Amino acid sequence: MSEREGWPEAPPLEGPPGEEDEAPEAEVEEAEAEVDDAAPAPEEQDEDVVVAEPAQHAAGDFVVPDGYGVLEGTPQGGRRAVGIVVSRFNGAVTGRLLEGALAELESAGVAREAITVMPVPGAFELPIAAMALAKTRRYACIVALGCVIRGDTPHFDFVAGEAASGLQLAALETGVPVAFGVLTLEDADQAGDRLEKGAEAVRTSLEMADVFAQLRAAAQR
C-alpha cells in the first residue's frame, strides 16, 4: 500500500484559486455608491458675500489723561521755511503729491517765498537731498515725496526700505523734522486713493516743527 492510500480525498474546487475572494462587480459598484452618498456635499458659497478688507487704522481718538504736562504742536506755518524734496520718477503720481503738499502749505499760512522745492531723480535720492537741506539750518522742516511701485524683481523692497531708513536718519542726525510722504504701491491704480499723502506729510512736518520750537523755547526759560 502506498503512502497516499487511505487518505481522505480533498474536496473539489468550484473555481480557480482566489476567485472566491473577489466581490461580485455589482456589489463593488453598490458599495462605491454608498460611500458617495455618505460623503458630505461641499457647501455652496453665496456669491453676494463680500469679504471685508482688514482695517488699516484703529478707530478712536488719542487722549492724554488729566493732570500731566502736555507738549503738543499744531500744523501752523507762520513764518516757517519749509523744504520739499520730491522724486521725478513716477512723476504722474509725485506731481499730484506735490500739488497737494503745496496747497496744504498755503492753507497753513506758509508763504511761497518760504518754500523750496528740490526735485531728485528717484526715491533712492530723497534721503541725501533731505539731509542736505536740513543741514543748511534754513528750514524748520522737510517734506519728502515719492512713489515706488512693486515690479517683478526685489528692486521695490530695496528702494522703499532704503528711502524710509535714510529719511529717518536725516531727521535723527540733524534734529530737523523730515516727514515721510512716499507712496509704496503694489500697482499704479492704488495711487488714486492715496494722493492725500502729500498734504498729510505737510501737516506732520509742520506739527513736529512747532512742537520742537515749543521745546526749545521751554528750555530757555
Side-chain angles (χ1 to χ4, degrees):
M1 177 183 296
S2 66
E3 295 181 358
R4 293 183 178 276
E5 292 181 1
W7 286 15
E9 295 183 2
L13 297 177
E14 298 180 356
E19 187 174 289
E20 62 185 15
D21 296 334
E22 297 181 0
E25 184 175 343
E27 293 182 4
V28 173
E29 293 179 355
E30 183 178 351
E32 291 178 351
E34 291 178 357
V35 171
D36 293 340
D37 293 340
E43 297 182 0
E44 296 183 359
Q45 296 183 351
D46 190 350
E47 296 181 357
D48 296 334
V49 174
V50 178
V51 179
E53 295 183 359
Q56 300 297 320
H57 305 284
D61 297 328
F62 171 78
V63 178
V64 178
D66 295 335
Y68 296 90
V70 178
L71 189 63
E72 185 175 11
T74 56
Q76 298 298 322
R79 300 176 60 184
R80 293 190 174 93
V82 179
I84 299 178
V85 291
V86 55
S87 167
R88 288 195 301 266
F89 196 72
N90 290 323
V93 176
T94 59
R96 298 284 299 278
L97 292 174
L98 178 60
E99 291 176 3
L102 295 174
E104 188 67 23
L105 286 171
E106 183 177 356
S107 299
V110 180
R112 286 195 175 192
E113 56 269 21
I115 303 171
T116 299
V117 180
M118 179 187 288
V120 296
F124 194 80
E125 290 72 37
L126 291 174
I128 192 171
M131 179 84 79
L133 287 180
K135 283 186 174 181
T136 66
R137 301 296 173 183
R138 296 179 54 190
Y139 304 97
C141 56
I142 309 296
V143 178
L145 305 175
C147 177
V148 186
I149 301 176
R150 186 181 297 278
D152 297 329
T153 68
H155 181 76
F156 169 92
D157 301 299
F158 291 115
V159 172
E162 291 301 322
S165 60
L167 290 171
Q168 183 184 48
L169 181 63
L172 292 174
E173 286 200 358
T174 63
V176 177
V178 178
F180 187 79
V182 180
L183 298 184
T184 52
L185 310 175
E186 293 293 328
D187 54 66
D189 294 336
Q190 292 182 338
D193 297 331
R194 295 165 174 81
L195 294 176
E196 175 65 16
K197 189 69 175 179
E200 178 185 321
V202 166
R203 292 191 292 270
T204 298
S205 64
L206 290 177
E207 179 179 337
M208 291 302 296
D210 185 55
V211 75
F212 278 18
Q214 293 181 42
L215 183 60
R216 288 191 294 268
Q220 294 174 359
R221 294 173 186 169

